[in-house]
């Protein structure tokens, strides 16, 4: 997405982007805030709404299900109301009530909720006092940090609780606390701020004290190092507000200027660090600041404009590009800004005076709140691709090998898409100068293709020799891997590659400091080297993150990093040369993932290595340095080990998955981790599988690709890219106005034959104003806008599979509804007549052709024409003068024997008709 909200133009509704307020002043109200992967907003009526990641209950709606649309925060007795101020920590939230009490919800594993326990809470609970016998009262300001919390009382007393590993609680110890602890400041505080692992207090005399993590100068003390108790920041007076980011800090001065210190996002024209405050360039009259994850933001009071600087490779600043400015840059798409936030994650939030909320940046858990279900929990067909032969995905990009030897790529880039550009693409793009590929393999930072002549092409980042081209340079187009001309298999790992040669030996290149090159040394190589021991007889190879696998005579060999037992020899000792994996024989397939591996053994799946999320599939989360069986699967023909989830393909074409499921990558229409294999829903007829970082793909027998799971950088190729260069509006929630409520029809999963029309409609329960218009879109592309009730759109599907249609409404207050979606199920062959609907529409323009009919009168029935691949509208498909029914090879011109004086000459060309 650029300036397009779910496929429609923001200019059409006059709205723009969203960010969070990071205030340290008790007099200021924070109305929007972002954590690492979630967002929270305070409405004008005192209610609280949240969206994004919910793994620890940080959305406060009594569940742990992620939500890409806002949900209301509640307590055990009903909605949380009467709130004056909110703040989001890493995975928890704080809310200050109008009676001076404090409420918390979300992650509590370090005690950051302040309730006397270390458990999570998916409902808002009241923060206790220091003794744990009553509750904290008289609170006037709050600040939630990554894994700890702070509060300021009206008396000027400050409390802190939660994680204390770098002394961020300021009590002189490194002991965590699940109850508030008094911070000894020596005088009254008037403002507080908590960042990644460091803390500040503005004192009544205008001075500032700092404590906690100081490893990159974020305390501003002029030296590097942690402080276990509050220490005065030298030379810093006249401070109106402090905002602490993950590794840097901002101070808004009483004269409207801004100072910064720490690592990155300092705004002084450099990308370095400073342990003492420096002046932020070209910014005066500032009324609000926010420091986040290597980003900084500010509001200029004179024109109520928003400014941002720092890291922006994922679009988190919302400045209309992916450039990372080292001085403040204005967000030109936004005006009349009321509040903003640079959260602890890679996104940002802004709220404008009309109550509209805007967001920019990474959206992998729906933290932008745009309602786009970009994390697909069930398989969905990838558009814009014809039939493909093979697919490969590893981290956040995908490669698809076309039937003609060309290659398509999409997702994150940095050169690994091979199209000559560096920017991400949510639609497939062709890899440059590659027309004879027979195999593809995607690595973390680069891509490989094996060519028909046995050579290997590589593209992407090149550090430590990853491209194998003889140097460490990267390339955005394919370059040749040095010295290989007889490869029969290639495999790209995280930072190294393997190639199996025709003589059964193995070559490796790239990063080698963990021994993953297998040549007996722990060094990198920018040209291919021989893998020791495996000089012949190898039939398959697979490169993992920092280790490698090879299959030889039914046995598995492994080498490289062995931190979680991924080498499979019963130890965790790094192996610089190949060793046999314990207890495996008759193996037919292997796959190396991130610190774990899979193998097919007599049709069953064996797994070993790390098992944090159940990715070994044996019903536990315990790692194993020797192979264990994954569930009870049988008849397995292929496996794919990913980052934290695993896949298996059975001989019947069904796909099974297990492990981490936070983004729906298991494909069972849920987000609960699976410790044993479960079948992927709505998917059959698969012939190949692959997965990446939270994404899953299946290549079907008909050459089409199905995708599901997380959608970083458009990895699912559905054009719902989570890194817009401009902010997008957050629908379904407005700080000042009630939003309309949409009901969409027809029902989800309605079957619609290809070529037939279906009416998509929406009815609205009004908010504070009448409806202005309704927008219809699919895969992030605007399909129709209806500005007159009743709101409807006539749609005719032109491809088979499940098609997701989304709708959103806009009222005359510019308040939007929460987007709704339905899936239309377009059958492959709805009437089971042996002729696919798409084929009938392509040739006849209708789906009602008769199988026994003979449209072109060539003696072949329409159904026979489909089976043969000939045209039902042309009696001589190959144009060789022989009717299809009489032609022994109707798809290729016949050879015609002609008599001559010396015998017969065979002319290899068709006769003219």
């Amino acid at each position: 997405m650029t300036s397009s909200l779910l496929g429609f133009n923001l200019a059409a509704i006059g709205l723009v982007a969203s960010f969070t307020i990071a205030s340290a002043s008790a007099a200021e109200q924070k109305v929007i805030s972002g954590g690492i992967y979630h967002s929270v907003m305070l409405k004008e009526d005192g209610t609280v709404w949240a969206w994004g990641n919910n793994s620890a209950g940080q959305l406060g709606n009594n569940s742990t299900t992620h939500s890409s649309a806002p949900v209301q925060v509640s307590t055990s007795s009903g909605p949380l109301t009467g709130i004056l101020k909110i703040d989001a920590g890493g995975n928890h939230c704080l809310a200050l009530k109008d009676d001076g009490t404090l409420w918390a919800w979300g992650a509590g594993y370090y005690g950051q909720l302040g309730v006397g326990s270390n458990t999570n809470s998916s409902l808002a609970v009241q923060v206790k006092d220091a003794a744990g016998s009553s509750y904290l009262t008289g609170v006037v300001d709050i600040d939630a940090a990554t894994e700890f919390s702070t509060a300021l009382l009206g008396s000027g007393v400050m409390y802190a609780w939660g994680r204390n590993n770098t002394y961020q609680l300021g009590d002189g110890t490194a002991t965590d606390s699940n109850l508030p602890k008094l911070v000894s400041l020596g005088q009254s505080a008037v403002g507080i701020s908590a960042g990644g692992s460091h803390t500040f207090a503005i004192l009544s005399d205008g001075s500032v004290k700092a404590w906690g993590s100081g490893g990159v100068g974020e305390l501003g003390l002029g030296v590097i190092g942690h402080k276990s108790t509050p220490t005065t920041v030298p030379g810093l007076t006249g401070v109106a507000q402090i905002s602490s980011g993950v590794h840097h800090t901002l101070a808004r001065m009483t004269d409207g200027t801004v100072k910064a210190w720490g690592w990155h996002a300092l705004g002084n024209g450099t990308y370095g660090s400073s342990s003492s405050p420096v002046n932020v360039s070209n910014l005066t009259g500032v009324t609000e600041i926010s420091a986040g994850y290597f980003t900084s933001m500010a509001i200029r009071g004179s024109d109520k404009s928003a400014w941002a600087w720092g890291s922006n490779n994922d679009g988190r600043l919302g400045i209309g590009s992916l450039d990372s400015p080292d001085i403040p840059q204005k967000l030109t798409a936004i005006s009349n800004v009321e509040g903003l936030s640079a959260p602890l994650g890679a996104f940002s939030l802004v709220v404008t005076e009309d109550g509209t909320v805007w967001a920019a940046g990474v959206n992998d858990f729906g933290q932008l709140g745009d309602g786009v279900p970009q994390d697909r929990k069930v398989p969905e067909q990838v558009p814009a691709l014809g039939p493909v032969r093979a697919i490969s995905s590893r981290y956040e990009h995908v490669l698809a090998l076309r039937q003609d030897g060309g290659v398509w790529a999409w997702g994150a880039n940095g050169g690994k898409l091979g199209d000559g550009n560096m920017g991400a693409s949510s639609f497939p793009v062709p890899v440059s100068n590659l027309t004879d590929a027979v195999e593809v393999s995607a690595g973390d930072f680069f891509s490989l293709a094996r060519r028909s002549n046995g050579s290997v092409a590589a593209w992407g980042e090149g550090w430590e020799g990853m491209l194998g081209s003889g140097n460490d340079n990267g390339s955005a187009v394919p370059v040749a891997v040095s010295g290989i001309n007889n490869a029969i298999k290639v495999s790209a790992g995280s930072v190294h590659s393997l190639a199996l040669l025709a003589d059964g030996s193995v070559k490796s290149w790239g990063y080698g400091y963990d021994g993953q090159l297998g040549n007996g040394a722990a060094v990198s190589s920018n040209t291919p080297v021989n893998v020791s021991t495996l000089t012949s007889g190898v039939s398959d190879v697979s490169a993992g993150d920092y280790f490698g696998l090879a299959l030889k005579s039914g046995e598995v060999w492994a080498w490289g990093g062995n931190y979680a037992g991924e080498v499979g020899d019963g130890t965790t000792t790094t192996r610089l040369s190949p060793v046999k994996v314990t207890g495996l024989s008759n193996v037919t397939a292997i796959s190396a993932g991130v610190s774990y591996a899979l193998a097919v053994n007599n049709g069953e799946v064996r797994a070993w290595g790390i098992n944090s999320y159940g990715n070994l599939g044996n019903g536990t989360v315990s790692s194993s340095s020797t192979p264990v069986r994954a569930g009870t699967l049988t008849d397995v023909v292929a496996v794919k080990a990913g980052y934290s989830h695993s896949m298996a393909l059975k001989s019947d074409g069904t796909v099974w998955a297990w492990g981490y499921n936070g983004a729906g990558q298991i494909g069972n229409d849920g987000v609960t981790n699976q410790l044993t294999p479960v079948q992927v829903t709505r998917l059959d007829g698969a012939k190949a599988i692959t997965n990446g970082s939270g994404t899953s793909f299946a290549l079907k027998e008909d050459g089409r690709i199905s995708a599901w799971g997380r959608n970083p950088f458009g990895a699912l190729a559905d054009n719902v890219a989570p890194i817009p260069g401009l902010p997008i509006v957050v629908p379904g929630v407005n700080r000042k106005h009630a939003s309309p409520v949409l009901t969409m029809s027809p029902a989800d999963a309605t079957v619609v034959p290809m070529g037939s029309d279906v009416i998509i409609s929406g009815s609205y329960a009004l908010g504070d104003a009448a409806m202005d218009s309704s927008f219809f879109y699919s895969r992030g592309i605007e399909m129709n806008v209806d500005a007159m009730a009743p709101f409807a759109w006539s749609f005719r599907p032109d491809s088979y599979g499940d098609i997701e249609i989304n709708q959103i409404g806009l009222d005359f207050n510019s308040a939007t509804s929460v987007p709704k979606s339905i899936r239309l199920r377009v059958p492959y062959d709805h009437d089971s007549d042996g002729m696919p609907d798409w084929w009938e529409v392509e040739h006849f323009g209708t789906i009602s052709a008769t199988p026994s009919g003979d449209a072109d009168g060539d003696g072949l029935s329409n159904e026979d024409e489909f089976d043969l691949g000939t045209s039902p509208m042309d009696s001589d498909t190959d144009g060789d003068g022989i009717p299809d029914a009489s032609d022994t090879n109707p798809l290729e011109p016949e050879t015609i024997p002609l008599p001559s004086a010396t015998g017969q000459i065979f002319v290899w060309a068709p006769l003219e008709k």
Side-chain angles (χ1 to χ4, degrees), residues 137-345:
T137 58
V139 178
V140 295
D141 198 14
I142 55 175
D143 206 340
T146 306
E147 294 165 329
F148 69 104
S149 304
T150 60
L152 176 64
L153 305 193
S155 60
V157 171
M158 180 180 180
Y159 285 92
W161 60 97
R163 194 172 192 186
N164 197 25
N165 62 316
T166 57
Y167 315 112
Q168 53 264 56
L169 302 190
D171 64 345
T173 76
T175 304
D176 300 343
S177 177
N178 55 29
L179 288 171
K181 300 188 75 170
L182 181 67
V183 180
S184 297
L185 297 172
Q187 59 176 290
S188 296
V190 295
I192 57 176
S193 179
S197 299
H198 60 296
T199 317
F200 291 87
I202 305 174
L203 305 184
S204 56
D205 65 358
S207 64
V208 175
K209 287 195 173 185
W211 60 97
S213 175
V216 290
E218 59 265 58
L219 296 184
L221 302 178
V223 296
I224 301 297
H226 304 334
K227 289 294 181 181
S228 61
T229 57
T231 304
T232 300
V233 178
L236 192 63
T237 58
V239 176
Q241 179 193 352
I242 295 276
S243 180
S244 308
V246 176
H247 295 297
H248 76 293
T249 307
L250 300 177
R252 177 170 60 87
M253 313 306 290
T254 53
D255 63 2
T257 61
V258 180
K259 293 183 181 293
W261 58 93
W263 185 31
H264 202 53
L266 303 188
N268 66 336
T270 72
Y271 286 105
S273 61
S274 176
S275 60
S276 298
V278 296
N279 293 320
V280 174
S281 303
N282 306 326
L283 202 56
T284 58
V286 173
T287 58
E288 186 67 57
I289 54 174
S290 179
Y293 183 54
F294 301 114
T295 58
S296 300
M297 302 186 72
I299 299 175
R300 188 171 66 185
S302 60
D303 58 0
K304 298 179 181 178
S305 60
W307 296 71
W309 60 98
S311 292
N312 191 40
N313 62 305
D314 41 31
R316 72 185 74 171
L317 297 186
I319 56 176
S321 74
L322 299 184
D323 296 333
S324 296
D326 55 13
I327 59 174
Q329 185 166 332
K330 186 177 180 180
L331 279 68
T332 57
I334 304 175
S335 59
N336 297 318
V337 176
E338 178 186 354
L340 50 73
S341 173
L344 299 173

Side-chain angles (χ1 to χ4, degrees), residues 313-543:
N313 62 305
D314 41 31
R316 72 185 74 171
L317 297 186
I319 56 176
S321 74
L322 299 184
D323 296 333
S324 296
D326 55 13
I327 59 174
Q329 185 166 332
K330 186 177 180 180
L331 279 68
T332 57
I334 304 175
S335 59
N336 297 318
V337 176
E338 178 186 354
L340 50 73
S341 173
L344 299 173
F347 67 108
S348 51
L349 302 167
V350 167
V351 61
T352 50
E353 289 184 339
D354 64 358
T356 302
V357 181
W358 300 79
V362 172
N363 197 21
D364 45 4
F365 287 100
Q367 56 264 48
L368 299 193
D370 59 5
V372 179
Q374 69 178 64
D375 289 346
R376 309 296 181 183
K377 301 177 180 63
V378 291
E380 182 169 319
Q381 184 177 302
V382 174
L385 278 179
V388 301
R389 294 165 56 187
I391 51 175
S392 179
S393 174
R394 184 169 177 87
Y395 184 40
E396 292 178 334
H397 81 294
V398 188
L399 303 176
L401 174 61
R402 298 199 318 242
Q403 298 284 357
D404 62 1
V407 178
W408 291 92
W410 63 92
N413 197 355
K416 57 190 173 184
L417 298 189
D419 64 340
N421 298 308
M422 302 298 285
S425 176
S426 59
F427 267 171
V429 295
V431 176
S432 300
N433 306 320
L434 194 58
T435 59
D436 59 347
V438 292
E439 183 187 11
V440 290
S441 185
D444 278 13
F445 303 100
F446 63 99
S447 302
L448 297 179
R450 178 168 58 90
R451 310 184 85 145
S452 57
N453 63 1
S455 65
V456 179
W459 59 96
E461 297 186 37
W463 45 274
E464 298 294 339
M466 283 187 293
L467 301 190
S469 59
N471 57 55
D472 292 351
N473 299 329
S475 177
V477 296
V479 296
V481 175
S482 299
I484 294 183
N485 55 22
N486 61 340
I488 61 173
K489 172 74 186 288
V490 292
S491 180
S494 290
V495 287
H496 77 293
S497 297
L498 300 175
L500 173 60
L501 305 187
D503 62 3
S505 64
V506 181
K507 295 276 190 179
S508 61
W509 63 92
Y511 186 96
Y513 296 112
D514 294 279
Q516 59 264 59
L517 299 191
N519 64 337
V523 296
S524 301
S525 177
N526 57 27
T527 58
V529 297
N530 294 319
V531 175
S532 304
T533 308
L534 303 176
T535 58
S536 64
V538 176
S539 58
D540 198 6
V541 291
S542 182

